[in-house]
Amino acid sequence: MSIYRKLANQFINEIESGKRPEGGRMPSLRQLAKQQAVSMSTVVSCYQELESQGWIHSRPQAGYFVSPHKPAHSTPEWAQFESKVSRVRQTSSTHNSINGPLGVSSTTNDEQSVVELERSFRRSVKRMGNRLNHYPDTQGEPILRQALSTHFAKLDVHFSPGELVVTAGCMSAIKAALESCTKEGDTIAISSPCFNGILELLGKMSRKIIEIPSLDDGVDLQQLETHLKSKRVDAAIFCTSHMNPQGINMSASQKQKLAALANEYRVPIIEDDVYLELSYSSYTPLPAKYYDKGGYVLWCGSVSKSLSPSYRLGWCLPGRYIDEYKAQFSSASYGVALPTQLAVADFIESGQYAKHVRRRCAQILSLRQQYLSYLTQNLPDDVKISSPQGGMVLWLQIPNLNHISFAQAVSEKKIDIRLGHLFSTLDLYNNCLRINFGYALEGEAKQQLDDLIELIRQCVSK
């Protein structure tokens, strides 16, 4: 058993025995590392494990505290299997045209952010000056790259503006990463389950895949290393922070190992980190890129989840692949809209972006609690629900679900959710589904959730 799990179990025993009462303060991260003579990554992983199981919770600017009780629901069990090469079966888009509140992972901006964004856009127009008739820099506007560099340095992720490429969203960043370090017919390692948008992209780009089983703290890195040793894997794509759709936050030790594997076997690993900043904890988890020594991790992100999907603004830190990346991206793009780049740069520089992210995390944490409570009260007792520590999606595992009848009923009822089969090429998740909890539990969101609960009850075999 890993050190952080042993430490987590020690705290669980202390909480269960009453030695650590409900509401009691936990040691700070630095204090615990010093007390136990372990690394910061170990204590971060320990607290992430305790948070994911509901034993502790964080309060902004205050620290960690013992939660009132464990989650009233059980969490999903991850299918374990021997991973093999397969092909993506989807030949058409998996996007749902209904576009309901439970489908796409998204939420709303509060009034204060809307006002500040309008101010940033007005200032950006003035900043453009005589550049109105010019194409933007294909690598990204220097002012935005500098703003992102300064912003992430405060989160202990350091890079120079010249190392970054601005893209039209995270998926655009991932696509250019694949084009810069792989070719048609190559085999890409992914998590199982994996975000359906990435599966769809890999299918359209004629890449084969190897699905790596999920674990409670990430993915089965032992299986991944076996494939790397045998040279069956040409590259990998992993969502590492608040994984979509699982809701898992890959532990710090897993991220460190992932980066080490990339460097040891000299295989590019594309890190999808679009949910990085949407953490409910008082700290933002470090990406695998942080541990990358040789530049083999291509770190991709965007403001699509943290700010707005409509801006279509993302980035990639391609590491050693930057020349190939810039060539691929510039040949397929005239750059990202200049007013959007300047407005987002202004929003970051003004300090409003950091404040906005803090408010958004508090908002979606509150919504998570509401959705979990409602689902736990109204679903059958044996339904398993993820307990994410960031992001805005829940993964449900429903024993004895008649998935064929359920899928048909969901379609007829026009409920926009993501069925489990979309997240894999394997028949492992037919009794699973993903829902977004980014919208207030009222109106259409509540009605669709009520309809969904009723259909689950109807389609479960007695």
Side-chain angles (χ1 to χ4, degrees):
M1 183 182 294
S2 59
I3 297 174
Y4 83 87
R5 282 186 181 274
K6 289 180 180 178
L7 192 55
N9 287 340
Q10 178 182 320
F11 279 121
I12 291 171
N13 290 334
E14 292 176 0
I15 294 170
E16 286 185 322
S17 67
K19 291 181 180 179
R20 292 188 177 274
E22 294 181 2
R25 184 187 293 273
M26 298 288 290
S28 70
L29 294 173
R30 295 187 186 281
Q31 182 182 6
L32 182 58
K34 187 175 181 179
Q35 286 175 349
Q36 300 292 330
V38 295
S39 67
M40 280 294 289
S41 65
T42 296
V43 298
V44 166
S45 296
C46 169
Y47 274 20
Q48 286 177 350
E49 178 73 9
L50 291 170
E51 278 191 298
S52 69
Q53 295 185 36
W55 293 102
I56 66 172
H57 62 278
S58 65
R59 297 177 192 167
Q61 312 302 319
Y64 292 86
F65 298 83
V66 178
S67 296
H69 53 74
K70 285 185 62 178
H73 63 276
S74 55
T75 53
E77 298 173 358
W78 306 110
Q80 299 305 301
F81 56 90
E82 183 179 346
S83 51
K84 298 177 181 178
V85 176
S86 61
R87 292 183 180 274
V88 180
R89 292 175 296 185
Q90 290 100 335
T91 56
S92 59
S93 175
T94 57
H95 291 292
N96 193 319
S97 60
I98 301 171
N99 198 25
L102 304 182
V104 176
S105 172
S106 61
T107 187
T108 55
N109 283 330
D110 60 36
E111 187 175 343
Q112 183 175 347
S113 292
V114 171
V115 170
E116 293 298 337
L117 279 166
E118 289 174 352
R119 290 172 178 164
S120 288
F121 269 96
R122 285 197 294 270
R123 288 192 291 264
S124 73
V125 172
K126 294 180 181 179
R127 263 177 141 165
M128 287 181 65
N130 63 359
R131 297 194 57 199
L132 184 62
N133 298 319
H134 296 177
Y135 285 107
D137 187 323
T138 54
Q139 186 176 345
E141 288 302 305
I143 191 170
L144 175 60
R145 288 187 275 122
Q146 179 61 62
L148 289 168
S149 172
T150 302
H151 171 72
F152 282 111
K154 296 174 183 176
L155 304 179
D156 213 16
V157 181
H158 300 274
F159 55 85
S160 70
E163 297 176 280
L164 196 71
V165 180
V166 176
T167 65
C170 192
M171 289 304 293
S172 173
I174 292 171
K175 183 175 185 293
L178 283 165
E179 289 170 332
S180 65
C181 62
T182 71
K183 61 184 183 302
E184 286 191 14
D186 279 356
T187 300
I188 315 299
I190 59 173
S191 65
S192 184
C194 173
F195 170 49
N196 59 300
I198 288 177
L199 273 177
E200 183 182 325
L201 176 65
L202 290 169
K204 288 180 178 179
M205 295 181 70
S206 301
R207 268 55 165 184
K208 293 177 287 188
I209 63 170
I210 290 181
E211 296 190 36
I212 307 297
S214 290
L215 302 173
D216 286 339
D217 63 344
V219 296
D220 188 342
L221 294 181
Q222 187 173 348
Q223 283 208 49
L224 175 62
E225 184 169 13
T226 298
H227 292 301
L228 290 171
K229 279 182 178 178
S230 63
K231 301 186 184 302
R232 285 192 289 269
V233 168
D234 299 294
I237 302 177
F238 292 110
C239 180
T240 56
S241 300
H242 318 306
M243 298 164 69
N244 178 7
Q246 304 95 312
I248 298 169
N249 191 38
M250 191 177 283
S251 68
S253 58
Q254 273 240 329
K255 291 179 181 179
Q256 191 169 3
K257 177 66 173 176
L258 187 64
L261 290 175
N263 283 265
E264 180 179 352
Y265 295 99
R266 300 182 180 181
V267 171
I269 291 181
I270 300 167
E271 184 174 17
D272 172 10
D273 223 4
V274 71
Y275 292 99
L276 174 71
E277 295 191 81
L278 296 186
S279 174
Y280 314 145
S281 302
S282 56
Y283 62 89
T284 300
L286 291 168
K289 182 65 179 177
Y290 175 83
Y291 306 101
D292 179 26
K293 305 302 182 186
Y296 285 94
V297 176
L298 297 88
W299 185 58
C300 302
S302 83
V303 298
S304 294
K305 306 304 180 183
S306 61
L307 184 58
S308 171
S310 66
Y311 293 165
R312 307 312 308 136
L313 191 150
W315 54 81
C316 181
L317 199 61
R320 68 189 303 113
Y321 304 96
I322 188 166
D323 291 337
E324 298 92 333
Y325 194 95
K326 287 196 293 186
Q328 286 290 343
F329 191 73
S330 62
S331 67
S333 169
Y334 288 106
V336 177
L338 180 57
T340 301
Q341 291 194 63
L342 295 180
V344 172
D346 182 275
F347 196 59
I348 295 171
E349 289 173 338
S350 67
Q352 292 301 324
Y353 176 70
K355 294 177 182 177
H356 160 82
V357 169
R358 287 196 292 271
R359 292 196 304 272
R360 171 159 287 192
C361 288
Q363 170 195 353
I364 59 177
L365 173 58
S366 175
L367 290 171
R368 186 202 77 149
Q369 297 302 100
Q370 294 175 40
Y371 274 72
L372 282 176
S373 177
Y374 195 78
L375 289 167
T376 302
Q377 291 172 18
N378 292 282
L379 283 173
D381 293 341
D382 59 352
V383 173
K384 296 176 171 61
I385 313 171
S386 64
S387 188
Q389 296 307 307
M392 56 190 95
V393 295
L394 294 176
W395 182 251
L396 277 63
Q397 190 176 60
I398 308 159
N400 304 313
L401 179 71
N402 185 327
H403 66 276
I404 296 175
S405 298
F406 179 69
Q408 183 177 351
V410 165
S411 177
E412 291 174 353
K413 199 74 174 178
K414 292 184 169 51
I415 301 175
D416 183 19
I417 58 171
R418 297 295 177 266
L419 298 173
H421 71 87
L422 296 175
F423 300 92
S424 175
T425 62
L426 311 173
D427 291 325
L428 295 172
Y429 309 108
N430 290 329
N431 66 339
C432 297
L433 61 93
R434 191 204 76 181
I435 65 170
N436 171 61
F437 60 84
Y439 294 94
L441 194 50
E442 59 190 26
E444 184 184 6
K446 185 175 184 301
Q447 183 59 60
Q448 290 227 339
L449 193 62
D450 286 338
D451 291 342
L452 177 64
I453 290 169
E454 180 59 29
L455 292 184
I456 289 174
R457 288 188 169 278
Q458 292 176 4
C459 296
V460 169
S461 303
K462 304 298 182 183

